[in-house]
Amino acid sequence: MTDQNLARAAELASHIERVHGANHPELTRVREITLALQQSGNETRTVELFNELRTLTHNYALPDDACEAFAATYQALERADRQRAS
C-alpha cells in the first residue's frame, strides 16, 4: 500500500537526513516531501510532490555511500510512487 510505503519512508527520512545530510543536503527536502505526501489528500498536489521527488532523487538512484536505511527509504518512496501512478 502507498500509505505503508510512505509511513516507512517517513520513519526513516529523519534518520538518513541526520546521518547523510552533510554529504546529501537534498535529504532535507526528501524528508519534507515525504511528510507532505503523508498529509496530502489532493491528487494534483501529490503528483507535483512525486514529480519533485523524482527530480531531486534522480529517479530514486542511490548514491555510492547509501546505507541500508537510505536504500529502504528510496525503495519505499519509489514503490509509493509506482502504486500511486497505477
Side-chain angles (χ1 to χ4, degrees), residues 52-72:
E52 183 181 352
L53 195 56
R54 282 192 302 279
T55 299
L56 190 64
T57 64
H58 306 282
N59 290 312
Y60 310 104
L62 291 171
D64 292 337
D65 63 343
C67 65
E68 285 183 34
F70 203 133

Side-chain angles (χ1 to χ4, degrees), residues 9-38:
E11 181 182 303
L12 295 168
S14 293
H15 171 74
I16 65 168
E17 179 187 14
R18 187 172 54 255
V19 173
H20 295 279
N23 293 327
H24 299 282
E26 72 278 6
L27 290 176
T28 297
R29 185 65 184 140
V30 168
R31 178 186 49 78
E32 293 168 351
I33 292 171
T34 301
L35 296 175
L37 283 166
Q38 279 193 295

Side-chain angles (χ1 to χ4, degrees), residues 4-14 16 34 72-74 76-77:
Q4 290 174 335
N5 287 312
L6 287 176
R8 179 70 174 143
E11 181 182 303
L12 295 168
S14 293
I16 65 168
T34 301
T73 303
Y74 275 29
L77 289 169

